[in-house]
Amino acid sequence: MTFRPTTSHWGAFSADIGADGRLQVAADPDDPSPSPLLGNLPDSLRHPTRVTAPAVRRGWLEHGPGPDSSRGNDEFVELGWDEALDLLAAELRRVRDDHGNKAVFGGSYGWASAGRFHHAQSQLRRFLNLFGGFTSSRHTYSNGTSAVVLPHIVGSADDVFRNGSSWPTIVKNTELLVAFGGVPEKNVFVTPGGVSRHHTPGFLARLAERDVDIALISPLRDDFPAAGAVQWYPIRPATDTALMLGLAHTLVVEDLHDRSFLDRYCAGYDEFEQYLLGMEDGVPKDAEWASHITEIPVGEIVSLARKMASSRTFITVTWSLQRIEHGEQPVWTAIALAAMLGQIGLPGGGFGHGYGSMGDSGDIGPDFHVPFLSQGVNPVDEFIPVARIADMLLNPGGCYDFDGAVRTFPDIRLVYWAGGNPFHHHQDLNKLRNAFARPDTVVVHEPYWTATARHADFVLPATTPLEREDFGSGRRDTHLVAMHQVAQPYGQARSDHVILAGLAERLGFGERFTEGRSPRAWLEHLYGSWRKNLAAAGVAAPSFAEFWSSGSYPLPSEEPDRTLFETFRQDPEANRLHTPSGKIEITSAVIKSFGYEDCLGHPAWLEPVEWLGGARAENFPLQLIANQPRTRLHSQLDVGSVSQFGKVAGREAIRIHPADAASRGIEDGDVVRVFNDRGACLAGAVVTSALRPGVVQLPTGAWFDPHGSLCVHGNPNVLTADRPTSRLSQGCAGQLVLVELERFDGTPPPVTVGSPPDVIKR
Ligand code: PGD
């Protein structure tokens, strides 16, 4: 067998098709901790849920474009490529001529696959830009709330996301790591675009060897690896901000805060201190107040605050903590708390965001620009914050706030998606189904019959990276990896590029889209221009032929020690932050001027709807944590064997505390119905004390399998609220939701998403 090199969001590997026709994969031998997710590839490559040929929804074929609530329940008719592309080109032309380019939504959010040239969204945006433009989307479901608030607080979100303190610096210098949301090891195996060497598991092991004190603040014990000096604070979900305020209050009243740091490097501390002391609202945010909200004992809060003040302390906040109502607050309060400790910019001190949310946070690879395809410029300036998709489709002309502006939703007639799965990633999927009934036409490129494909009018079969040539590399990756073709395209699948080139040809801009190059010629061209730029900077990269045959190019490495805001600390006048004051804004006059009741001018505890201390918990007394799965990336390759092995009774596994299981007569392995007033899903119970009572955990990504408003497979987004984080950032708040749970007696409906939908062959 000839194993050929390639890469994925979860790591570099090589692969070949065996004599039995089955894919075999081998992790890169130089990867210190390869990802278990590689095991999802063999069973997925030729799975019956692959889309074999272009398919058009029967209702659309028979009645033409228009709103249609049978989307998601209709049959499909297989067409030849020419017929499908002719029909779609005519429809794109109709929408543009009758309603303008603004009526095309091409936000197309999603992770797609590794590979710089065949990156689905880049290809689609390049195509739509040449088509005359489209309504786009801004920010991400991952960290879209922080992306809006961080520029107000520290002048840049990118600095925090890309240049956070490195693991070697933390391992060497930190004495106490206070991890809000922990550092969940399952997520560090993944970085968009690739991670050739998984270093983070090794750094986590070294923290344990060095006996660094870890304060794990999470309802889930396994949000930090078991080894080492870990103290678990099983906090009530959604209350981290209250705990941080209680810690901050303790620092003030015990005079443990660093006044000189606050004076020199921060703006607006005094107003925040008045809030802490209760001068604004008569409520001091002291440890007792915090204990009442968080259910962490008063004594533990006070002693943690003292220990933070007497140690080199690094405070981290996972991205999941901003994926909740008022998600700005935990991030902003953590920065205020770190500022009060006065250690921002010191090695091993200060704060970080996203450690354990993704492989690249704190990683030691270089922040290096690798070759990429130009998307061109969008002539249309209309956009939505990414998580407002359902609201946009349901309320054309409706007004909403966003980062100080009042905006209007456009009237969308055609939705075009490539490389994402909104029926995985969006909240309140029953609402999303109604929203997807509104446009005239929905187009999806997909390798698999995902729920999104099943809700489309045009389903165009896309290749997977193993079926095409490319090169790949992620942020802070150590290598640019040559991605050789390993298998023939499945059925009639084509790459997104070739599909769009066919459409562009029909729409009169084929030559401008392809620039006359084949996909292989594009790879050589992009690599060649990149190599030239490197040579100008004094770096000699190999020729394309050498790179391709060697399988990878090790990117020039950089100094592994890195401390966020080190230069700002050294000279805050010369290295002003890009905030109005040039300093860390503990109070932001700009945010205050917006007058939002759900994001004030300084960090604050704002009671959410979905939490155990609120009125809604009387009807739905369990807090469901809908976090990232351990057995797959998002919804990708859910049919693969690692993902399937994790299912319980054929459904996604939901974890429940023994006390909550006992009071409901639930035993390990039972099928349970999880429900609230938005919908319900079936899941398989795992009874465990690895989470605190009152909390259940059901990861995202089981392929949505609706039978009426019940998802029989266990997708938590049928339960989550499509409620924005706040008027400021309009981010995704899907992480937490209140639910109730009961044993499902009788024969549960079968899971059907493992088979393709009905497709009429012509
Ligand atoms: P994926 O499953 O990665 O999910 O949402 P996202 O939409 O990114 O979807 C990618 C899709 O692209 C897959 O269906 C895959 O088959 C397809 N694909 C892969 N390669 C190609 C290709 O080359 N071409 C084409 N055309 N298609 C391809 C992820 C999103 O979910 C994210 S990033 C986060 S952080 C959110 N997290 C949460 C959460 O914490 N809690 C809840 N409740 N909900 C969330 N949703 C969000």
Side-chain angles (χ1 to χ4, degrees):
M1 288 177 68
T2 318
F3 277 73
R4 273 155 283 193
T6 185
T7 195
S8 66
H9 295 315
W10 48 92
F13 63 103
S14 56
D16 196 16
I17 305 291
D20 57 356
R22 206 176 128 76
L23 179 76
Q24 298 197 22
V25 299
D28 188 314
D30 295 323
D31 185 347
S33 298
S35 166
L37 300 190
L38 289 174
N40 276 330
L41 287 159
D43 284 345
S44 308
L45 185 65
R46 295 284 180 261
H47 194 270
T49 52
R50 285 294 302 268
V51 183
T52 15
V56 177
R57 189 172 63 80
R58 197 165 83 154
W60 196 98
L61 265 186
E62 288 174 359
H63 310 297
D68 194 337
S69 55
S70 65
R71 267 186 204 115
N73 286 317
D74 206 352
E75 291 170 326
F76 285 90
V77 180
E78 242 178 48
L79 300 185
W81 271 111
D82 279 340
E83 198 183 348
L85 293 181
D86 285 349
L87 268 179
L88 179 52
E91 173 58 359
L92 279 161
R93 214 179 274 117
R94 179 192 75 84
V95 172
R96 183 179 58 187
D97 292 349
D98 292 359
H99 305 285
N101 282 81
K102 213 169 131 170
V104 175
F105 179 67
S108 185
Y109 178 76
W111 268 54
S113 289
R116 308 289 301 186
F117 172 67
H118 285 293
H119 180 241
Q121 282 82 11
S122 303
Q123 290 286 348
L124 179 61
R125 287 177 201 146
R126 179 182 169 84
F127 167 83
L128 290 175
N129 286 340
L130 289 170
F131 176 65
F134 62 102
T135 293
S136 60
S137 64
R138 283 223 180 135
H139 304 305
T140 66
Y141 280 72
S142 293
N143 54 32
T145 295
S146 292
V148 176
V149 77
L150 280 171
H152 291 290
I153 312 171
V154 291
S156 155
D158 256 15
D159 260 355
V160 178
F161 293 153
R162 296 182 79 103
N163 299 321
S165 301
S166 65
W167 278 117
T169 307
I170 296 168
V171 168
K172 254 184 275 168
N173 300 289
T174 302
E175 293 165 331
L176 170 63
L177 178 71
V178 183
F180 291 91
V183 181
E185 197 172 14
K186 64 182 167 61
N187 300 334
V188 305
F189 288 100
V190 168
T191 301
V195 44
S196 305
R197 304 286 179 270
H198 291 92
H199 294 120
T200 308
F203 289 124
L204 289 172
R206 279 171 56 196
L207 280 177
E209 281 157 27
R210 268 205 57 227
D211 249 358
V212 174
D213 282 326
I214 311 291
L216 162 62
I217 294 150
S218 171
L220 309 178
R221 171 59 189 90
D222 42 15
D223 271 346
F224 206 93
V230 182
Q231 181 169 356
W232 180 28
Y233 297 82
I235 191 166
R236 185 144 71 156
T239 67
D240 296 76
T241 300
L243 177 58
M244 292 174 195
L245 292 171
L247 293 166
H249 184 279
T250 308
L251 295 181
V252 178
V253 295
E254 300 201 1
D255 201 18
L256 296 172
H257 57 317
D258 186 337
R259 222 25 264 205
S260 62
F261 183 90
L262 291 165
D263 289 344
R264 181 150 191 225
Y265 297 97
C266 302
Y269 169 71
D270 289 339
E271 193 171 332
F272 176 60
E273 189 183 279
Q274 292 196 349
Y275 167 75
L276 278 179
L277 297 175
M279 322 280 253
E280 268 186 18
D281 54 5
V283 182
K285 315 300 173 302
D286 58 17
E288 206 173 320
W289 169 88
S291 172
H292 180 69
I293 295 172
T294 61
E295 295 184 341
I296 306 283
V298 180
E300 291 186 17
I301 298 175
V302 172
S303 56
L304 180 59
R306 289 177 186 153
K307 195 162 158 191
M308 288 169 80
S310 62
S311 315
R312 179 58 59 90
T313 299
F314 192 71
I315 301 172
T316 70
V317 179
T318 49
W319 291 347
S320 54
L321 291 199
Q322 51 87 68
R323 218 174 291 136
I324 62 172
E325 285 168 76
H326 314 133
E328 297 84 0
Q329 305 311 317
V331 180
W332 200 352
T333 319
I335 293 172
L337 186 58
M340 290 170 76
L341 294 175
Q343 298 180 19
I344 292 174
L346 292 180
F351 76 95
H353 190 26
Y355 293 76
S357 302
M358 196 91 88
D360 62 334
S361 306
D363 207 356
I364 51 173
D367 188 13
F368 207 78
H369 287 286
V370 286
F372 68 95
L373 175 73
S374 164
Q375 299 178 8
V377 176
N378 187 353
V380 171
D381 58 9
E382 190 66 66
F383 73 89
I384 54 162
V386 68
R388 298 281 54 81
I389 169 81
D391 288 339
M392 171 185 72
L393 295 177
L394 290 167
N395 307 305
C399 288
Y400 66 100
D401 294 297
F402 178 59
D403 201 9
V406 178
R407 301 185 53 83
T408 307
F409 287 123
D411 186 0
I412 298 300
R413 300 304 175 116
L414 186 144
V415 170
Y416 207 133
W417 226 289
N421 188 2
F423 280 88
H424 147 65
H425 66 230
H426 195 62
Q427 287 57 64
D428 196 350
L429 293 181
N430 288 318
K431 175 177 166 187
L432 188 68
R433 293 190 98 189
N434 293 334
F436 261 61
R438 292 298 300 269
D440 294 348
T441 299
V442 177
V443 187
V444 170
H445 296 189
E446 248 297 338
Y448 294 91
W449 279 108
T450 59
T452 302
R454 290 170 204 243
H455 284 80
D457 300 314
F458 282 80
V459 182
L460 303 180
T463 50
T464 70
L466 292 167
E467 298 160 343
R468 57 201 188 208
E469 290 182 338
D470 211 331
F471 38 64
S473 185
R475 288 189 306 248
R476 296 217 172 271
D477 206 343
T478 50
H479 292 70
L480 180 70
V481 179
M483 299 172 69
H484 289 210
Q485 183 174 345
V486 174
Q488 286 307 309
Y490 184 79
Q492 298 178 36
R494 293 180 177 176
S495 70
D496 297 288
H497 175 78
V498 171
I499 299 171
L500 295 166
L503 275 177
E505 186 63 41
R506 284 164 173 80
L507 290 162
F509 56 91
E511 181 64 23
R512 281 191 293 147
F513 181 72
T514 62
E515 296 182 13
R517 294 189 188 95
S518 67
R520 170 53 93 94
W522 267 109
L523 296 186
E524 291 182 14
H525 167 72
L526 294 174
Y527 182 92
S529 343
W530 177 71
R531 182 169 177 248
K532 239 187 243 157
N533 291 342
L534 282 188
V539 179
S543 70
F544 181 80
E546 286 165 317
F547 158 68
W548 195 254
S549 65
S550 69
S552 70
Y553 167 58
L555 298 167
S557 59
E558 63 184 40
E559 178 56 44
D561 285 320
R562 195 171 66 236
T563 297
L564 181 62
F565 295 134
E566 190 174 22
T567 54
F568 169 64
R569 184 179 186 104
Q570 282 159 358
D571 189 341
E573 279 78 38
N575 303 309
R576 286 167 59 88
L577 300 181
H578 297 290
T579 53
S581 61
K583 300 180 177 188
I584 298 169
E585 302 230 339
I586 295 183
T587 296
S588 160
V590 174
I591 296 182
K592 194 173 174 181
S593 73
F594 298 157
Y596 298 146
E597 73 295 343
D598 53 7
C599 188
L600 311 178
H602 57 71
W605 162 250
L606 302 168
E607 193 177 325
V609 177
E610 308 275 341
W611 80 297
L612 289 169
R616 198 172 150 78
E618 283 165 27
N619 293 330
F620 304 111
L622 294 172
Q623 182 103 57
L624 187 150
I625 300 183
N627 59 356
Q628 302 300 321
R630 180 180 297 279
T631 57
R632 62 184 168 264
L633 167 65
H634 308 312
S635 70
Q636 296 202 22
L637 312 185
D638 188 24
V639 291
S641 54
V642 175
S643 185
Q644 288 299 312
F645 189 70
K647 309 267 172 186
V648 172
R651 334 264 148 180
E652 196 61 24
I654 187 164
R655 298 197 300 167
I656 179 166
H657 190 271
D660 296 317
S663 63
R664 290 166 177 78
I666 291 168
E667 290 183 7
D668 212 61
D670 281 349
V671 174
V672 294
R673 191 174 83 95
V674 194
F675 62 94
N676 62 19
D677 48 1
R678 286 177 213 108
C681 67
L682 301 183
V686 173
V687 180
T688 169
S689 7
L691 35 66
R692 59 166 273 151
V695 167
V696 290
Q697 181 250 327
L698 175 64
T700 58
W703 283 4
F704 180 51
D705 196 346
H707 291 218
S709 67
L710 173 76
C711 169
V712 300
H713 192 198
N715 187 315
N717 276 329
V718 79
L719 302 155
T720 49
D722 185 21
R723 183 187 292 122
T725 46
S726 74
R727 290 163 68 192
L728 180 85
S729 52
Q730 296 283 352
C732 157
Q735 185 73 186
L736 298 176
V737 59
L738 291 172
V739 299
E740 178 53 296
L741 207 113
E742 63 189 11
R743 200 177 60 217
F744 186 91
D745 293 322
T747 312
V751 173
T752 56
V753 279
S755 316
D758 291 334
V759 179
I760 301 164
K761 315 246 176 214
R762 282 213 308 208

